[in-house]
Amino acid sequence: MSGFLLTRIELASSSSCSDPLVPPPWERQSLPPGSCWAPQRFSKAVLVIIDALHFEFARFDPAKASPLPYENKLGVLHQLATSQPRHARLYRFRADPPTATMQRIKGLTTGSLPTFIDVGSNFASYAIQEDNLLAQLVQNGRRVVFMGDDTWEGLFPKKFFRSYFFPSFNVKDLHTVDDGILQHLYPTVDSGEWDVLIAHFLGVDHCGHKHGPDHPEMAKKLTQMNEMLRSLVDHLGNDTLLLVAGDHGMTETGDHGGDSEKEVNAALFVYSRTPLFGSGPPEEPETIPQVNLVPTVALLLGVPIPYSNIGEVMAELFAGDGDAVSAALQQLSVYHINAKQVDRFLQSYSLVAQDLPAEQLQHLQELFSSAVEEHTQLLTQMQGTMVPPELEPRLGNLISHFQHYLREARAVCTQSWARFHPLRMVGGCILIASSCLLCYMASELAASSQSFCRSCLLYPLFWGPVGAALLWLVHVFTQEGLDLLLMSSWAAVASQLGFFWHWCGQHLKRARLTGSQPPLASGGLRQRLRAWLGLAFPMGILFFRCGAMFSDSFVVAEARVAPFLLASLVMLLVGKLHWDGRLTVPEGPKQQLLGFSSYRREIWYLLCLVAMLLVCVRLSSFFHQCREEIPQCRPSVFLSPLASLRNTRAKNLFYLLCVALLAGLVYAVQSWLRHYGNLNSSDPLVLFVRWGFPLVVLCIACYWAVASSADDSLGKLQELVQVAVVVFPRVVYGLASVGLLVLVCNPMTVFAKDTRESAGSIVTPYLGVPGSEVDFLHVIPQIYKRMQESQKSQLERGSCKATVAAYGLGSVYSAALVIALTLLGFLLMLLHSERLSFAFLLLFVEAFVLLHIHTCARGLAGDAELFSVPWYAVISWLLAASQFFYSTGHQPIFPAIHWNAAFVGFHLDHSTNLLPAVLVGANTFASHILFAVGCPLLLLWPFVCEMSNSQKKKPKKESREELQEVEERMMEMRLRESPEEFSTALLRLGLKYLFVLGAQLLACVCAAMILRRHLMVWKVFAPKFLFESLGFVVSSICLLLGISLVMRVDCAVSTWFSQLRLR
């Protein structure tokens, strides 16, 4: 990532009044007081930033009889522009992506282009060190007053003469920032104790996030802004410039952050009581880049242009009251200053970086020299301040030359400011590829030889710290700065080299020992070949998915492709079972005579499961978010909260359905646990499942009820509702945390009924070292078998008196995971809009179906490796995780992030950035979390279903052989018979999961590296790379937590057996 997403170099230089950039007309005369580089036109300026002010919000069309809620609301702008055409003008204000607020503030103050990686800084706004407009104003003695969005406080610390900051990150709060500004705006303007006043309103942006632009609340908020501007104009003096700007636009859903036309199309309105323009406005508003505001405001206020500016001055604002010739001369002078400043920056930047191509720099230098030389010649041919008639046509051409140079310079910087480090990118790809290979090899080694695998895995743990220590010693002796990234990368490389070196040495040694036997004589060759053929179709699906990451069309349409690949994989599995003859019973003489084969009964159960899966896949497509690249797409109505519905009856109906789904989920989980005997005890965890789950559902239902109510329809209850909106989610957080804590402390859901006689021992002592681990492992299977023998003796004697009965022991591992997944599901549903609970219900149903398909397929295939999870199960599990990433309303683009999740249960702004980042991350990667934590179920589920499968054929008579069959129904306790194989199976499953995750990440990394100059790199490949990387981290952590929970249950089972032994 450090090789791909590098920020551009920020120069530490800053402009000053003494810089030799003054053009010839003014370098021979002294400038007026308070002026620098150019005569000052205004002594004061008011910059009103209306966050997310889309151009369509500011445009006024009198012909529209029934405008939309966001149209024709800012009538004061139209009134000023039509009544005073030389005093006011409306522009299309084009933002540079990424269209996040902090990056736009940087562009509006530095005149430069923030790079792609800066979008991640919205959670933590770091101070701008680069030369900027505010620094120039303060440096030249201007008093800057700010009020509004507290993002400015982090970007410009200690730069304001007076400031009024208000919390900005709560997108559900429409009024706190705006009302706070209005409280101080007019008194501050009237006081006169300021030179530049900046007011950053957030209500329009937050209304878009909460309701979308097409909502009555947007009309109210824009009307409020209109009245604010009308009053503000009345308070302005003749020496004041008013600028009303939007930092970015918004999509149809109210989001922003990307580079779609709706997101970059903002508005700029310029007004002054004194004439600004030499002529009236054009028929269609002019489009100007946002960076053009910086040099324009700087020269209008008489301060130097910031050093790193690449914007073009808005020369029409410098025309003045004179004739066309004098206006052109004024514009040429400011263009000359602007061009000299940009040329100086390009020359300085090219000395410290190699981003800008040399041939393009040479071309720009030629354009600059030609324009400056022609301007100098024109001035020398002038007679005083008069321009000969034959030279007047050259003025327009010369202005075009300066414009051409400035626009070419900006285009070159825009195309080139993506500094890549090819060596780091290649190194990162090799590191990820070797990690994937290590995961694959280690998973196969664990199956062949546990001791050999354990020794191979110990070597990376040793060589990693050794490699890091050696690098640290090198840095100590060379006295160079220690790069933490380089150190960690070197440690990873050393650990992997240690693994592969040890593996190669051991493999060659074993090959020499078995070298006398010819390869073809090995009886395992055919089995190995069949195993490779069995790997072909799941790995083919995986590699197809990875290879398609190199296509921007695939990434854009992945929401439809991932479910298709999942359905294809399952259908291929059924086809393979049929091809292998696993779906038919062996042909007897009667079937051979009739010429047909009969199918097994289990095939119909499998086909029903596949049909259910296809239905879930189809239904999940109704919850997708849209991308700007698919114009015909319409976002799902289920993504918007219930509060956005205007139809009360529909709102109530959806609310009741959502609550019913929550209650149905609790009922299903409790029924499953009750069916397997895990709700019979009175342990704290069982009591929490019985009573805590319904209480959690009740709190979520209450939160949805108060959150879906209209803000203006509650009257006196509004304050109580504001408290409830915070309290109910926090109660859910607390109950879920208590449930998870109880689960970790005491995960046993087993009820033991012991009516044994006191005489006699239930185990045969192990004649070994006292207290040894071998003694303990020897005891556990005997205890479980003794419990089975008690049931067997009860059956033989027909007695009603049982010796030992343990309810829920056969599903104790799965029960803990199911409880954990249910609690996590409650938390994640709370962070999403109400109607997405339908999608989460589909998620749980589809996961349940996939587990049963996996179990049924293994039973039909007659797989003898009970402790091994096939590759098709792991790949299908991860495909389902990708499918529901999209089916919970997400896309790998920044505008699709659900920022409002950061304030579920928090009314005011957060004191730290960690908590909102966790909440938004949990919302975004909800499917990754659930499927990663539930991954061990792929190993456990076939053992859980052993009882139900074996009970399908009930014996009519209780013969000795049938009683022996009853004895073998051990379910998950079969894992306890071979503890080492159980641990190895968990390790292999985790390694397989990491391999598939790593393969997908490797494909995204390679695509971003190879296609880094692709037209769609920043729009498609770079966001996909970032989201896939974060998803890999989240999935890896949650996978470790899921496996750790299983191991915790295993320790609790061991303790339970030891206590039973002592009774």
Side-chain angles (χ1 to χ4, degrees):
M1 187 175 289
S2 66
F4 179 71
L5 297 176
L6 289 174
T7 58
R8 63 176 176 83
I9 294 179
E10 295 184 354
L11 301 183
S13 305
S14 60
S15 301
S16 66
C17 288
S18 59
D19 294 338
L21 300 181
V22 182
W26 295 325
E27 64 183 1
R28 294 186 297 269
Q29 57 186 352
S30 60
L31 294 172
S35 301
C36 186
W37 292 10
Q40 176 185 5
R41 286 208 63 186
F42 296 95
S43 59
K44 294 179 179 292
V46 176
L47 173 60
V48 176
I49 298 178
I50 301 178
D51 209 290
L53 181 64
H54 193 277
F55 179 77
E56 295 301 325
F57 298 178
R59 168 179 278 188
F60 192 91
D61 187 0
K64 284 199 173 184
S66 56
L68 296 173
Y70 58 83
E71 294 178 330
N72 289 1
K73 296 299 182 292
L74 295 179
V76 64
L77 304 184
H78 176 73
Q79 177 185 348
L80 291 173
T82 53
S83 61
Q84 306 178 54
R86 295 187 60 195
H87 297 249
R89 186 164 297 180
L90 179 66
Y91 295 90
R92 291 184 183 271
F93 205 34
R94 194 165 188 84
D96 296 293
T99 52
T101 296
M102 195 200 73
Q103 283 66 42
R104 292 297 85 237
I105 294 175
K106 285 185 176 182
L108 288 170
T109 54
T110 64
S112 188
L113 302 177
T115 48
F116 183 86
I117 190 60
D118 287 344
V119 76
S121 303
N122 250 11
F123 278 117
S125 302
Y126 301 107
I128 295 178
Q129 304 297 331
E130 201 171 16
D131 193 16
N132 58 82
L133 183 59
L134 266 70
Q136 288 295 334
L137 290 169
V138 174
Q139 181 179 329
N140 287 275
R142 310 299 171 87
R143 298 166 297 177
V144 182
V145 176
F146 178 84
M147 52 188 69
D149 186 352
D150 61 354
T151 303
W152 292 72
E153 183 180 14
L155 294 175
F156 305 102
K158 301 179 181 180
K159 286 289 192 298
F160 300 110
F161 177 75
R162 188 180 299 115
S163 57
Y164 307 95
F165 297 113
F166 302 97
S168 61
F169 196 65
N170 188 357
V171 295
K172 292 186 177 182
D173 184 1
L174 308 186
H175 308 295
T176 298
V177 178
D178 293 1
D179 293 346
I181 295 174
L182 293 176
Q183 182 181 356
H184 300 282
L185 179 61
Y186 307 121
T188 302
V189 172
D190 295 338
S191 68
E193 297 180 355
W194 56 277
D195 296 303
V196 175
L197 190 150
I198 303 174
H200 191 157
F201 291 87
L202 287 177
V204 173
D205 178 68
H206 287 187
C207 184
H209 285 297
K210 185 176 181 180
H211 302 290
D214 192 8
H215 193 274
E217 286 295 326
M218 182 62 76
K220 295 179 182 179
K221 184 52 65 175
L222 289 174
T223 302
Q224 182 189 28
M225 294 296 99
N226 185 69
E227 297 304 319
M228 177 271 298
L229 292 173
R230 190 183 303 277
S231 300
L232 180 61
V233 168
D234 296 336
H235 288 75
L236 297 180
N238 293 332
D239 60 343
T240 304
L241 173 69
L242 172 63
L243 300 163
V244 181
D247 57 342
H248 51 74
M250 69 169 61
T251 63
E252 295 177 352
T253 58
D255 299 313
H256 59 89
D259 60 351
S260 67
E261 184 62 29
K262 291 182 179 295
E263 292 170 279
V264 302
N265 193 15
L268 172 66
F269 181 78
V270 183
Y271 172 76
S272 172
R273 288 185 177 275
T274 57
L276 273 173
F277 306 97
S279 59
E283 294 184 3
E284 187 65 23
E286 183 183 355
T287 300
I288 61 169
Q290 282 190 352
V291 291
N292 290 11
L293 186 67
V294 173
T296 304
V297 174
L299 293 183
L300 286 174
L301 295 178
V303 298
I305 300 174
Y307 195 91
S308 301
N309 165 74
I310 59 169
E312 172 191 343
V313 69
M314 299 166 61
E316 62 269 20
L317 297 179
F318 296 85
D321 298 330
D323 55 8
V325 174
S326 61
L329 289 174
Q330 287 284 104
Q331 292 174 1
L332 278 175
S333 298
V334 294
Y335 269 130
H336 194 130
I337 296 174
N338 194 186
K340 276 190 173 183
Q341 172 265 320
V342 171
D343 177 71
R344 180 186 63 175
F345 166 70
L346 293 178
Q347 297 301 324
S348 302
Y349 190 85
S350 62
L351 295 177
V352 297
Q354 304 299 321
D355 301 344
L356 307 178
E359 61 276 8
Q360 293 186 357
L361 282 175
Q362 180 63 31
H363 175 65
L364 290 175
Q365 183 63 37
E366 293 173 357
L367 292 178
F368 170 74
S369 300
S370 174
V372 170
E373 182 179 355
E374 186 176 354
H375 186 208
T376 305
Q377 292 177 357
L378 178 65
L379 294 175
T380 57
Q381 297 174 17
M382 289 176 52
Q383 302 172 358
T385 58
M386 300 295 296
V387 179
E390 63 274 10
L391 297 181
E392 290 183 10
R394 294 176 56 186
L395 295 177
N397 293 334
L398 186 52
I399 290 176
S400 300
H401 292 168
F402 276 115
Q403 290 176 340
H404 179 61
Y405 165 72
L406 292 170
R407 292 170 187 176
E408 283 286 322
R410 181 176 177 272
V412 169
C413 293
T414 303
Q415 295 172 4
S416 303
W417 270 344
R419 290 199 313 117
F420 300 112
H421 198 301
L423 186 60
R424 285 193 174 188
M425 287 191 290
V426 172
C429 290
I430 294 175
L431 193 59
I432 296 174
S434 60
S435 300
C436 292
L437 181 61
L438 187 150
C439 290
Y440 179 82
M441 292 177 61
S443 67
E444 296 301 319
L445 285 174
S448 60
S449 174
Q450 297 177 9
S451 59
F452 178 52
C453 175
R454 191 179 297 112
S455 63
C456 281
L457 291 178
L458 287 176
Y459 270 79
L461 298 178
F462 171 74
W463 284 110
V466 169
L470 290 176
L471 183 64
W472 178 76
L473 289 175
V474 170
H475 279 276
V476 168
F477 285 111
T478 57
Q479 295 183 351
E480 295 181 0
L482 186 62
D483 188 355
L484 184 60
L485 177 66
L486 180 62
M487 183 175 176
S488 58
S489 302
W490 179 253
V493 170
S495 65
Q496 293 187 8
L497 288 177
F499 172 84
F500 290 119
W501 179 266
H502 181 67
W503 178 84
C504 289
Q506 294 292 331
H507 184 73
L508 292 175
K509 185 184 298 184
R510 295 173 66 185
R512 284 195 297 268
L513 294 176
T514 59
S516 57
Q517 183 181 8
L520 293 178
S522 173
L525 180 60
R526 182 174 300 176
Q527 296 180 355
R528 192 172 302 175
L529 183 59
R530 291 188 63 181
W532 277 106
L533 291 177
L535 275 177
F537 76 90
M539 287 299 181
I541 294 288
L542 174 62
F543 290 140
F544 174 81
R545 170 174 167 78
C546 294
M549 295 290 184
F550 292 82
S551 168
D552 59 327
S553 301
F554 168 83
V555 177
V556 169
E558 191 180 10
R560 291 176 291 170
V561 177
F564 170 76
L565 292 178
L566 174 60
S568 301
L569 180 57
V570 174
M571 297 301 293
L572 284 173
L573 172 63
V574 176
K576 182 179 182 298
L577 290 174
H578 186 272
W579 181 268
D580 294 339
R582 300 292 184 177
L583 303 183
T584 57
V585 297
E587 295 184 357
K590 184 176 180 180
Q591 285 82 2
Q592 291 179 356
L593 182 64
L594 295 176
F596 67 88
S597 300
S598 60
Y599 286 93
R600 299 171 116 183
R601 293 181 181 179
E602 293 85 350
I603 179 60
W604 307 113
Y605 178 62
L606 177 61
L607 292 179
C608 290
L609 291 174
V610 172
M612 289 180 61
L613 175 70
L614 296 179
V615 171
C616 290
V617 167
R618 179 58 182 164
L619 291 177
S620 67
S621 63
F622 291 104
F623 303 93
H624 286 175
Q625 178 66 276
C626 289
R627 293 183 64 121
E628 183 261 338
E629 295 87 350
I630 309 178
Q632 70 274 14
C633 176
R634 291 294 178 266
S636 171
V637 295
F638 295 96
L639 301 180
S640 57
L642 289 179
S644 63
L645 289 179
R646 304 177 192 176
N647 189 327
T648 306
R649 180 175 298 179
K651 181 188 295 186
N652 294 336
L653 178 61
F654 274 116
Y655 172 76
L656 292 177
L657 287 176
C658 294
V659 175
L661 286 178
L662 278 179
L665 176 62
V666 172
Y667 175 77
V669 171
Q670 289 183 346
S671 299
W672 185 89
L673 294 171
R674 189 177 297 110
H675 172 73
Y676 286 103
N678 296 102
L679 281 186
N680 293 321
S681 71
S682 58
D683 291 335
L685 181 59
V686 175
L687 294 177
F688 184 86
V689 173
R690 287 179 181 173
W691 306 108
F693 279 13
L695 186 57
V696 171
V697 170
L698 178 63
C699 291
I700 295 177
C702 293
Y703 168 71
W704 285 350
V706 296
S708 60
S709 59
D711 293 338
D712 55 352
S713 62
L714 298 171
K716 298 180 179 179
L717 297 177
Q718 185 64 38
E719 294 183 2
L720 182 61
V721 169
Q722 294 297 327
V723 175
V725 168
V726 175
V727 169
F728 282 123
R730 293 192 179 185
V731 172
V732 175
Y733 294 152
L735 288 174
S737 301
V738 170
L740 292 173
L741 183 62
V742 171
L743 177 63
V744 172
C745 294
N746 185 15
M748 293 293 290
T749 54
V750 177
F751 173 64
K753 186 177 181 181
D754 187 3
T755 58
R756 296 170 302 170
E757 300 177 0
S758 58
S761 175
I762 64 173
V763 297
T764 304
Y766 176 77
L767 302 178
V769 180
S772 67
E773 182 182 0
V774 181
D775 185 13
F776 188 67
L777 298 178
H778 173 76
V779 166
I780 292 175
Q782 292 191 51
I783 295 177
Y784 193 79
K785 286 185 179 295
R786 178 58 184 268
M787 295 163 62
Q788 290 179 321
E789 288 172 2
S790 67
Q791 295 179 350
K792 177 182 175 182
S793 62
Q794 176 188 353
L795 292 172
E796 290 176 345
R797 297 192 308 266
S799 172
C800 299
K801 183 179 179 181
T803 306
V804 179
Y807 299 93
L809 189 59
S811 56
V812 63
Y813 297 101
S814 299
L817 281 173
V818 169
I819 294 172
L821 290 172
T822 306
L823 288 172
L824 290 175
F826 287 148
L827 289 175
L828 296 173
M829 279 190 276
L830 183 69
L831 296 177
H832 287 76
S833 62
E834 300 90 343
R835 287 182 286 180
L836 281 178
S837 57
F838 293 96
F840 278 94
L841 177 67
L842 282 176
L843 184 151
F844 284 113
V845 172
E846 185 170 315
F848 180 80
V849 171
L850 281 174
L851 290 172
H852 277 276
I853 290 176
H854 163 52
T855 302
C856 187
R858 291 196 63 172
L860 290 170
D863 195 350
E865 296 185 8
L866 298 177
F867 290 86
S868 176
V869 179
W871 282 101
Y872 71 81
V874 179
I875 295 174
S876 62
W877 197 252
L878 273 162
L879 285 174
S882 298
Q883 169 199 346
F884 279 99
F885 169 78
Y886 296 98
S887 296
T888 49
H890 298 99
Q891 286 280 351
I893 51 176
F894 291 104
I897 296 177
H898 301 173
W899 299 107
N900 56 344
F903 290 92
V904 176
F906 298 91
H907 183 62
L908 300 176
D909 201 27
H910 291 278
S911 58
T912 176
N913 295 315
L914 179 61
L915 184 57
V918 170
L919 293 175
V920 173
N923 173 282
T924 304
F925 299 105
S927 63
H928 295 72
I929 294 171
L930 291 174
F931 279 95
V933 172
C935 179
L937 289 174
L938 293 173
L939 173 64
L940 302 173
W941 207 260
F943 295 95
V944 175
C945 297
E946 176 185 334
M947 182 181 69
S948 58
N949 289 339
S950 60
Q951 283 182 343
K952 290 180 180 179
K953 296 181 180 180
K954 292 186 177 181
K956 297 181 180 179
K957 297 182 180 180
E958 297 173 353
S959 63
R960 187 175 186 86
E961 291 78 8
E962 290 163 348
L963 292 173
Q964 184 68 24
E965 181 184 350
V966 174
E967 180 182 346
E968 294 176 356
R969 297 171 192 166
M970 299 176 62
M971 298 174 65
E972 288 182 348
M973 284 302 101
R974 212 176 277 278
L975 299 166
R976 295 293 312 175
E977 290 185 328
S978 304
E980 288 192 0
E981 289 189 22
F982 181 26
S983 302
T984 303
L986 283 175
L987 174 63
R988 291 187 65 195
L989 176 59
L991 290 172
K992 288 181 177 180
Y993 202 87
L994 290 176
F995 169 79
V996 180
L997 284 173
Q1000 295 177 168
L1001 176 62
L1002 178 63
C1004 292
V1005 170
C1006 292
M1009 179 186 70
I1010 296 172
L1011 304 174
R1012 61 186 181 274
R1013 294 298 180 187
H1014 192 277
L1015 179 64
M1016 306 293 286
V1017 61
W1018 301 116
K1019 191 165 190 164
V1020 176
F1021 296 110
K1024 176 62 178 175
F1025 164 49
L1026 283 179
F1027 276 81
E1028 196 72 32
S1029 302
L1030 293 174
F1032 175 83
V1033 174
V1034 172
S1035 298
S1036 302
I1037 294 174
C1038 293
L1039 173 66
L1040 180 62
L1041 293 177
I1043 294 177
S1044 300
L1045 178 59
V1046 175
M1047 301 306 296
R1048 173 68 187 95
V1049 177
D1050 192 56
C1051 293
V1053 171
S1054 301
T1055 304
W1056 185 84
F1057 272 117
S1058 63
Q1059 292 174 352
L1060 184 64
R1061 177 191 178 192
L1062 296 175
R1063 291 180 183 178

